[in-house]
Amino acid sequence: MVSHVGILPSDVIDSLVARLNVPDEQSGLRFLRLPHPRTEGRTENIHIGGTDRSTSKRAVMVHVRGRSGGRSVIYVYDTQCVLMKILDGKLLMMTPVDPAFLLARILKAMMPKEGVVSNFRPADDIFEDAVEKLVRSPPASPNPKDPSTQLSENDLNRFLSLDCARSALKRVCETKEITPEIMVYRYSQEKFVETLKVKVARLAIPALFESSNTLIRGLAKDGLMEDGKEALLESGRMRAACDLVSQYIAPDVYNALLASYDFATLTVYLKGLDDEATAQAASRMDKVEARESTSSSAPANEKKRKGQAKASQGVEKLKKANTKGMSKLSSFFQAKSAS
């Protein structure tokens, strides 16, 4: 059995340690292969680890990082983590992920054709339809023989049965209460965008950006950290936060998220930077081409000058002689007129 190094959130580690001596069928900890929330691909080696329904409030996304060829490494993560051995050179990074991202991707794949409005339905009916369309009658796969592109009915049912998935319905769907016991749902991209905007607002706070050198460098590169650009800086943080969220949503949802903000001033400013950079690049290219043209013409001129042989002293004296009143040399070869 191949082992991997795993980097996990501390609370997940606590849960794992508490369940080390519990049989798998009782622990409730499983890895589920689900559709990636951003790409059109089936899974892209993204797995979700969930707990049992009664306690599951979150999910963990596993990112596989590695290279071909195996090697052994002993890695310790924090003082709470046990030693783990890696044999094939891969590193597993587990990060918390909002189940709403995963659920939205599943519900979006079930949407009817454009222009057709779906109906409000109970959660169980929606989930049963998801299993039917995504597993039993899935769309054509670009690599049907690749097992990593296949979606397991057990995995999908397991995820949809988790409390975290059911509670996420309210963050991605419109709801109607039929009776106190019956709630019906309909996927709404507008509702999902509103949920995303809450996340963007949390990510865009200055304290978070100041804790990330990467985010600060991105803002500074565009000159947004300079004095007098506070409004642009705020827009820049919001746009960067949208880009962070975009890693977990489909491209059309990302475009709808951007359209919900007024980035007009920031867009004009950034376009001005791009135009200035383009002009500077063109100017540098013109200078390079001018230098190359000068360099290429210099040898030809030098060769031309060397090809012109210097005249002898006698010829130079003849050039200076007074030829006034003398007949041209060609006149001696002309026919004489008859007298």
Side-chain angles (χ1 to χ4, degrees):
M1 179 178 178
V2 177
S3 301
H4 299 90
V5 170
I7 300 179
L8 297 83
S10 59
D11 59 332
V12 176
I13 294 175
D14 292 339
S15 178
L16 288 173
V17 172
R19 297 166 185 261
L20 284 177
N21 297 321
V22 180
D24 291 344
E25 61 273 11
Q26 299 178 19
S27 69
L29 292 174
R30 289 179 53 183
F31 286 104
L32 310 178
R33 187 182 294 273
L34 299 173
H36 191 281
R38 175 175 56 86
T39 67
E40 294 296 330
R42 276 298 192 195
T43 57
E44 289 197 348
N45 294 324
I46 300 298
H47 303 69
I48 306 302
T51 58
D52 56 86
R53 284 192 57 177
S54 61
T55 60
S56 178
K57 301 298 183 184
R58 63 190 297 189
V60 177
M61 178 174 287
V62 181
H63 308 265
V64 181
R65 297 290 183 268
R67 62 182 184 181
S68 59
R71 58 174 181 163
S72 295
V73 175
I74 300 298
Y75 190 91
V76 180
Y77 177 68
D78 210 341
T79 58
Q80 300 175 336
C81 188
V82 297
L83 293 176
M84 303 180 70
K85 190 173 184 180
I86 181 171
L87 299 178
D88 62 355
K90 291 182 179 178
L91 174 66
L92 303 183
M93 300 181 63
M94 303 185 187
T95 58
V97 59
D98 188 342
F101 289 126
L102 311 173
L103 187 62
R105 180 68 181 85
I106 293 171
L107 298 182
K108 186 174 182 297
M110 299 165 46
M111 291 294 291
K113 295 181 179 180
E114 187 175 356
V116 179
V117 180
S118 59
N119 297 322
F120 284 91
R121 304 167 64 189
D124 289 338
D125 290 355
I126 294 175
F127 292 159
E128 175 61 28
D129 194 24
V131 173
E132 177 64 32
K133 290 185 177 180
L134 298 179
V135 180
R136 299 171 190 160
S137 304
S141 171
N143 299 306
K145 295 183 179 180
D146 185 358
S148 68
T149 64
Q150 306 304 313
L151 184 60
S152 165
E153 182 173 347
N154 289 335
D155 285 352
L156 185 56
N157 277 323
R158 176 74 175 184
F159 170 69
L160 296 176
S161 70
L162 298 177
D163 286 345
C164 63
R166 290 180 174 266
S167 63
L169 273 171
K170 296 179 181 180
R171 302 200 298 277
V172 300
C173 293
E174 299 176 79
T175 61
K176 283 186 178 181
E177 184 177 338
I178 305 301
T179 69
E181 295 79 22
I182 301 178
M183 182 77 72
V184 291
Y185 306 86
R186 179 172 66 188
Y187 172 74
S188 168
Q189 181 166 288
E190 292 76 15
K191 179 75 173 182
F192 187 31
V193 167
E194 290 302 317
T195 297
L196 296 175
K197 293 184 70 171
V198 174
K199 296 181 180 296
V200 168
R202 292 174 181 172
L203 290 172
I205 59 176
L208 186 145
F209 271 75
E210 291 172 1
S211 65
S212 172
N213 292 332
T214 301
L215 295 176
I216 288 295
R217 282 197 297 268
L219 297 175
K221 178 178 67 68
D222 293 331
L224 299 178
M225 303 294 292
E226 301 172 1
D227 293 338
K229 295 182 179 179
E230 287 75 14
L232 286 173
L233 176 59
E234 183 178 356
S235 294
R237 282 197 296 259
M238 296 294 286
R239 177 61 187 262
C242 290
D243 292 341
L244 291 175
V245 172
S246 72
Q247 302 303 309
Y248 299 93
I249 57 179
D252 60 324
V253 178
Y254 172 56
N255 292 333
L257 176 62
L258 291 180
S260 67
Y261 294 96
D262 183 8
F263 289 133
T265 303
L266 179 64
T267 300
V268 171
Y269 170 78
L270 294 177
K271 186 178 184 303
L273 292 181
D274 291 341
D275 292 344
E276 182 180 352
T278 301
Q280 292 177 353
S283 177
R284 288 194 297 268
M285 183 60 68
D286 291 341
K287 292 179 180 179
V288 170
E289 292 178 351
R291 286 197 299 268
E292 291 177 350
S293 177
T294 302
S295 300
S296 61
S297 62
N301 293 336
E302 184 68 19
K303 184 176 180 181
K304 183 177 180 180
R305 287 195 298 269
K306 291 182 178 179
Q308 294 176 347
K310 187 177 180 180
S312 63
Q313 293 183 358
V315 172
E316 293 295 331
K317 290 181 179 180
L318 288 174
K319 288 181 180 179
K320 297 177 181 179
N322 185 6
T323 58
K324 186 177 181 180
M326 295 183 181
S327 301
K328 294 183 177 181
L329 184 60
S330 58
S331 63
F332 292 97
F333 299 95
Q334 294 177 354
K336 294 182 179 180
S337 57
S339 54

mmCIF file of all heavy atoms in Angstrom, residues 331 333-339:
data_model
loop_
_atom_site.group_PDB
_atom_site.id
_atom_site.type_symbol
_atom_site.label_atom_id
_atom_site.label_comp_id
_atom_site.label_asym_id
_atom_site.label_seq_id
_atom_site.Cartn_x
_atom_site.Cartn_y
_atom_site.Cartn_z
ATOM 1 N N SER A 331 37.760 63.485 -80.970
ATOM 2 C CA SER A 331 37.721 64.170 -82.276
ATOM 3 C C SER A 331 38.708 63.587 -83.251
ATOM 4 O O SER A 331 38.559 63.712 -84.464
ATOM 5 C CB SER A 331 37.993 65.670 -82.072
ATOM 6 O OG SER A 331 39.303 65.859 -81.554
ATOM 7 N N PHE A 333 39.130 60.553 -83.921
ATOM 8 C CA PHE A 333 38.602 59.311 -84.501
ATOM 9 C C PHE A 333 37.362 59.564 -85.344
ATOM 10 O O PHE A 333 36.752 58.641 -85.816
ATOM 11 C CB PHE A 333 38.268 58.303 -83.377
ATOM 12 C CG PHE A 333 39.462 57.929 -82.556
ATOM 13 C CD1 PHE A 333 39.748 58.603 -81.358
ATOM 14 C CD2 PHE A 333 40.323 56.944 -82.996
ATOM 15 C CE1 PHE A 333 40.835 58.265 -80.609
ATOM 16 C CE2 PHE A 333 41.431 56.613 -82.225
ATOM 17 C CZ PHE A 333 41.700 57.251 -81.036
ATOM 18 N N GLN A 334 37.014 60.842 -85.551
ATOM 19 C CA GLN A 334 35.861 61.144 -86.359
ATOM 20 C C GLN A 334 36.284 61.248 -87.847
ATOM 21 O O GLN A 334 37.392 61.650 -88.162
ATOM 22 C CB GLN A 334 35.226 62.466 -85.925
ATOM 23 C CG GLN A 334 34.621 62.431 -84.539
ATOM 24 C CD GLN A 334 34.073 63.775 -84.100
ATOM 25 O OE1 GLN A 334 34.238 64.773 -84.807
ATOM 26 N NE2 GLN A 334 33.446 63.788 -82.933
ATOM 27 N N ALA A 335 35.407 60.852 -88.794
ATOM 28 C CA ALA A 335 35.693 60.926 -90.238
ATOM 29 C C ALA A 335 35.823 62.382 -90.676
ATOM 30 O O ALA A 335 35.026 63.230 -90.257
ATOM 31 C CB ALA A 335 34.593 60.233 -91.041
ATOM 32 N N LYS A 336 36.871 62.660 -91.577
ATOM 33 C CA LYS A 336 37.050 64.019 -92.056
ATOM 34 C C LYS A 336 36.032 64.333 -93.148
ATOM 35 O O LYS A 336 35.725 63.473 -93.979
ATOM 36 C CB LYS A 336 38.470 64.167 -92.636
ATOM 37 C CG LYS A 336 39.542 64.023 -91.572
ATOM 38 C CD LYS A 336 40.905 64.232 -92.164
ATOM 39 C CE LYS A 336 41.998 64.130 -91.129
ATOM 40 N NZ LYS A 336 43.366 64.343 -91.732
ATOM 41 N N SER A 337 35.567 65.547 -93.163
ATOM 42 C CA SER A 337 34.564 65.943 -94.181
ATOM 43 C C SER A 337 35.249 66.169 -95.543
ATOM 44 O O SER A 337 36.395 66.613 -95.617
ATOM 45 C CB SER A 337 33.852 67.235 -93.744
ATOM 46 O OG SER A 337 34.809 68.254 -93.541
ATOM 47 N N ALA A 338 34.596 65.849 -96.668
ATOM 48 C CA ALA A 338 35.174 66.017 -98.021
ATOM 49 C C ALA A 338 35.314 67.487 -98.348
ATOM 50 O O ALA A 338 34.400 68.268 -98.122
ATOM 51 C CB ALA A 338 34.275 65.319 -99.044
ATOM 52 N N SER A 339 36.442 67.892 -98.898
ATOM 53 C CA SER A 339 36.713 69.293 -99.250
ATOM 54 C C SER A 339 36.338 69.525 -100.688
ATOM 55 O O SER A 339 36.448 68.617 -101.520
ATOM 56 C CB SER A 339 38.178 69.635 -99.004
ATOM 57 O OG SER A 339 39.036 68.726 -99.665
#
